[in-house]
Amino acid sequence: MSTVATTDSPPHHGAKSPKSKSPKTRPTQRPPSSRILLRPRLFLIVVVTLVFVVVLLVQGYVNAVGKAGTGHPAGAYDRVPDAIRNGGSMIDATHSPARSYAVPAKTVALTFDDGPDPQWTPQILATLRKYHVHATFFAVGARVLKDPGLVQQAHADGNEIGIHTFSHPDLTQLSPADRQDQLSRTQLAIAGATGTTSALLRPPYSSSASALDNDDWSVVQDVGRHGYLTVLTDRDSLDWERPGVSKIIRNATPDNTDGAIILMHDAGGDRSETVQALNKLIPALQSRGYAFRTVTEALAAATGVSVADEKKRTDAPASAVDHWRGWGLSLAARIADGIVATLLVLLGIVGVLVVIRLVLMMIIAWRHARKRHRPGWNWGPPTTDPVSVIVPAYNEKEGIAQTLQSLAASAHPEIEVIVIDDGSTDGTAQIARALALPDVRVVSIPNGGKANALNHGLELARHDLVVMLDGDTVFEAATIGRLIRPFADPKVGAVAGNVKVANRARMVARWQHVEYVIGFNIDRRMYDVLQCMPTVPGACGAFRRSALVEVGGMSDDTLAEDTDLTMALCRAGWQVVYEETARGWTEAPTSVGQLWRQRYRWSYGTMQAMWKHRRAIVERGASGRFGRLGLLGLALFQVVLPVFAPLIDILAVDGLVFFNPVTTAVGWVAMLALQFVGAILAFRLDREKFGPLWALPLQQFVYRQLMYAIIIQSIVTALAGTRLRWHKLRRFGAAVAPSSTR
């Protein structure tokens, strides 16, 4: 057989040809210095990311409240004055020497720590109103920001608000600067809620004056220098232990006629016993003649100063600036809480869907593989029909020789190879002609894009079975025969081959190898079973010519012409299947920049194709089946999920920093483990070595985020109505099929 090398060739007469597309000039490759991202889109992505990060920081800032504990172990107390350790529970260290004051006899001051709480604080306030009693609420600043209305209501009812720090830390473990930060942030929160400031402080994990040690005393002196009165406890109800209503009442009841500051809690857990105990304790003490006072009122009674004068420092008006700053911070905190809560619900739904999909995919893929290997199963009689192979080539000098040589070594009995040189400027056509391979035609046309080149090849093709591969792809000797085998079934209109990454040495390419194996051997098996294959890869695919003619051939409406064509075939009722044994070896990008360009085009082109075929969702028959299974699946898992997926990782980091790191880490590892199981199954089905899977965990931190960023940029580009330019990738001729598989 002779070699045919032409500069032009008329269409093959006697065969109906698909509609010819008008040439569109493919832009030349951008210089390396040109930007991949347009500035407006980059700006939008950066702004949205920063806003979300700020939201998480605000939300974490507000919700990072310390858990219940016991504080630091008791230490030496030799520097604590005896008058303080043996004195009352109200300590004024604003002047030297410090003085302590005890609550007068027959007087109690109810105090509530750790609030406000949206469930329990309103019930406690209602109980206080019921018995016409006022109390002092030592509030946690972070919780005030979340529920400022509760603090405002408590203050409006005549109760007073004290400070219990911003995030409930042990103040003895903080530096003086950090202590003041805790107090000033809480002051700001209270100012925003009530328009007042407070000089009353109860340190977390504190108890009675007799329990003060040197570290505690250092804190009391430090906060005193900043104008704070330290309020400790005479009677601890221990309601946080939930010992029962009777026990709480006994713990809180003063001995004889002693006065007391009683410690209870309105947050931090189930406070139903506290509410029940109050309804019994208050009337019981009232019947014994006890007067209920706020801490300020009890202090005034102990010092002989008027209540009004004491309130000038314990409940002073806040400045307008502090009030609005606190109000704004509270609003920001509630907005952040609302956004994060909504996202958590959405991510929970998405997470469940992802897990269900992954499990179903693994089950379907396993069943698909078992069916394909079942004895007696086949597509029908062996197909030995002649095949036309079309190779569109645009500046493929590095790999065109390997591609054509692999086709010349094909074991299929009769093939013709048509190389469409699409206006190459690097000598691609000359290299192809110089090989002088039999049954290879090289046709040079003006640059018009890949779809136009493929359509030109179809016009020249002499056979009904058509195989398409890129100019950087290498076939094994058995690939063409295996690729056309499913055409024994007349309902099959296209066959997707198994694209393999040939150059796996560098990490970026190795990640793509893992992705290709998982994608082809899990995703495509599922699509095959569900009969909704969205893409026959341009690197390794076969088509029935009559099917191509029916849908009008290749279209240049999108940048993903292979996806566009496959969707059209599915909508037309043709069956599109996957043949995993038909392998094509391709050269994957080895740099992040090249990978970005390739995937950006794929992602954007896929979205274009989805939008073009959107009517399939509401149509009937084969088109409707593809629309509701294929298109909706792509929309959910290829568009919506990647938009939310980075948020999952950011929320995971947020959880590690601000919440429970163990729970967060366990959840993340569980998800990774499930993905690892899917990867092992995919590698086993494809008979690949498991070695590259060591890169999978690292892939979650780098490669996956890169893919999500590309999806997000594609969405922004699509919403902006911008038509993306074609990006030609740099090749090195690294696509080589392993000799053992030839």
Side-chain angles (χ1 to χ4, degrees), residues 665-720:
V666 168
W668 190 88
V669 170
M671 181 61 72
L672 178 62
L674 185 59
Q675 294 175 343
F676 202 79
V677 170
I680 291 175
L681 174 62
F683 270 65
R684 179 178 177 184
L685 294 178
D686 211 30
R687 295 181 173 84
E688 285 280 356
K689 296 180 179 179
F690 294 134
L693 288 179
W694 69 265
L696 186 61
L698 185 60
Q699 189 178 30
Q700 307 301 306
F701 291 102
V702 182
Y703 185 79
R704 190 177 66 168
Q705 277 67 31
L706 179 65
M707 294 298 103
Y708 294 154
I710 292 171
I711 293 288
I712 293 171
Q713 187 193 1
S714 300
I715 294 173
V716 173
T717 303
L719 293 176

Side-chain angles (χ1 to χ4, degrees), residues 319-635:
S319 68
V321 172
D322 284 347
H323 172 65
W324 288 111
R325 285 177 61 202
W327 182 88
L329 182 59
S330 177
L331 178 62
R334 283 175 285 158
I335 291 174
D337 259 357
I339 292 174
V340 172
T342 301
L343 287 176
L344 287 175
V345 171
L346 292 175
L347 292 178
I349 295 172
V350 171
V352 171
L353 290 176
V354 168
V355 171
I356 293 174
R357 178 178 184 263
L358 182 57
V359 172
L360 288 177
M361 286 172 62
M362 289 190 290
I363 294 173
I364 292 173
W366 180 255
R367 294 186 62 183
H368 179 276
R370 286 175 59 87
K371 175 184 176 182
R372 290 291 175 88
H373 292 92
R374 189 177 301 159
W377 184 92
N378 54 60
W379 291 106
T383 302
T384 58
D385 295 351
V387 177
S388 295
V389 182
I390 303 174
V391 184
Y394 173 71
N395 288 348
E396 297 286 0
K397 68 176 183 179
E398 293 85 0
I400 191 66
Q402 294 97 311
T403 297
L404 297 181
Q405 288 166 350
S406 73
L407 294 174
S410 173
H412 194 69
E414 184 178 354
I415 65 171
E416 65 162 349
V417 179
I418 306 170
V419 180
I420 305 297
D421 172 36
D422 188 26
S424 298
T425 59
D426 65 346
T428 296
Q430 291 84 342
I431 295 173
R433 293 189 180 102
L435 293 173
L437 295 172
D439 296 313
V440 175
R441 284 187 286 173
V442 181
V443 180
S444 295
I445 63 173
N447 179 257
K450 186 175 181 180
N452 180 69
L454 289 169
N455 280 332
H456 199 92
L458 286 172
E459 292 175 354
L460 301 174
R462 295 193 297 265
H463 306 305
D464 186 55
L465 299 184
V466 178
V467 169
M468 299 179 184
L469 76 158
D470 294 334
D472 59 353
T473 302
V474 171
F475 274 7
E476 298 173 8
T479 294
I480 292 178
R482 292 170 178 171
L483 198 56
I484 66 170
R485 190 164 54 185
F487 289 119
D489 184 344
K491 298 189 296 295
V492 174
V495 181
N498 188 353
V499 181
K500 312 288 292 181
V501 173
N503 54 324
R504 307 175 183 177
R506 298 186 65 175
M507 181 61 72
V508 172
R510 187 176 296 117
W511 282 334
Q512 293 171 82
H513 164 55
V514 173
E515 179 191 31
Y516 274 42
V517 172
I518 296 174
F520 280 102
N521 287 286
I522 298 293
D523 291 19
R524 276 190 166 79
R525 290 178 188 272
M526 180 188 70
Y527 292 137
D528 193 344
V529 171
L530 298 179
Q531 298 180 29
C532 59
M533 188 79 67
T535 304
V536 172
C540 186
F543 303 87
R544 198 182 296 275
R545 182 185 177 85
S546 57
L548 294 176
V549 170
E550 180 181 343
V551 299
M554 308 294 293
S555 170
D556 62 359
D557 292 340
T558 75
L559 290 178
E561 69 288 325
D562 48 4
T563 299
D564 185 6
L565 174 63
T566 308
M567 290 181 176
L569 290 171
C570 289
R571 293 183 66 189
W574 289 97
Q575 188 174 346
V576 182
V577 300
Y578 171 53
E579 179 49 64
E580 68 271 19
T581 63
R583 291 183 286 268
W585 296 80
T586 190
E587 179 182 344
T590 55
S591 71
V592 172
Q594 291 284 305
L595 177 63
W596 186 286
R597 290 184 175 90
Q598 181 195 69
R599 296 308 176 86
Y600 187 18
R601 175 173 61 84
W602 287 5
S603 173
Y604 185 78
T606 299
M607 292 180 190
Q608 288 179 309
M610 292 168 61
W611 182 253
K612 177 180 177 180
H613 296 280
R614 64 190 182 277
R615 287 191 58 82
I617 296 174
V618 297
E619 292 176 341
R620 297 184 178 183
S623 180
R625 176 185 179 86
F626 169 76
R628 287 181 284 278
L629 287 178
L631 276 186
L632 287 181
L634 282 177

